[in-house]
């Protein structure tokens, strides 16, 4: 699959410690190699959204959009688990899903 990365995702990724950076590299490689969304481990479609998925990575959550047209994964947010489902991110996801 093709991968696009948002500036916000990139900024969050730079703040990660060594262990999480390695996990993130492995996850991005796994997404790139995957032929379909079902091949990505710990990936779930979020309920109530059209094309937003999340991947669990330890204490972090990766939120991404899947553009079905050309099988592109757009990595949008990388946030700690405690912040991942608060109102601020729900609003951001709702805006982005339209």
């Amino acid at each position: 699959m093709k991968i696009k990365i948002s500036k916000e995702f990139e900024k969050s990724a730079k703040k990660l410690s060594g262990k999480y950076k390695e996990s993130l590299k492995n996850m991005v490689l796994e997404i790139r190699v995957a032929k379909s969304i079902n091949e990505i481990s710990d990936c779930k479609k979020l309920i109530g959204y059209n094309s937003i998925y999340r991947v669990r990575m330890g204490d972090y959550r990766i939120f991404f959009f899947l553009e079905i047209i050309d099988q592109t994964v757009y990595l949008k947010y990388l946030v700690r688990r405690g912040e991942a489902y608060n109102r601020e991110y729900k609003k951001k996801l709702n805006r982005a899903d339209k």
Side-chain angles (χ1 to χ4, degrees):
M1 299 181 133
K2 297 177 195 172
I3 296 179
K4 293 181 184 178
I5 298 174
S6 72
K7 288 182 182 180
E8 187 170 347
F9 184 91
E10 200 171 316
K11 186 177 176 183
S12 296
K14 288 180 182 177
K15 295 178 185 177
L16 294 176
S17 66
K19 175 178 108 172
Y20 284 115
K21 278 188 180 182
E22 192 62 35
S23 294
L24 181 60
K25 285 180 187 177
N26 292 336
M27 184 57 64
V28 170
L29 181 63
E30 182 180 342
I31 292 170
R32 184 170 283 137
V33 173
K35 292 186 183 354
S36 75
I37 202 78
N38 297 330
E39 294 180 13
I40 302 171
S41 60
D42 271 333
C43 178
K44 290 189 177 181
K45 184 175 184 300
L46 293 182
I47 296 171
Y49 298 96
N50 294 322
S51 59
I52 298 179
Y53 294 79
R54 75 108 174 107
V55 175
R56 207 170 71 192
M57 189 184 81
D59 289 341
Y60 287 85
R61 299 297 181 262
I62 299 171
F63 292 107
F64 66 89
F65 307 98
L66 177 64
E67 295 176 2
I68 304 296
I69 299 165
D70 59 353
Q71 289 293 309
T72 299
V73 171
Y74 184 58
L75 300 176
K76 184 69 174 167
Y77 301 113
L78 172 65
V79 292
R80 283 185 115 359
R81 188 182 74 183
E83 301 169 21
Y85 303 104
N86 68 19
R87 285 184 182 176
E88 176 188 349
Y89 278 100
K90 284 184 179 182
K91 285 180 184 178
K92 286 181 178 183
L93 292 172
N94 278 328
R95 276 183 286 196
D97 195 38
K98 294 179 180 181

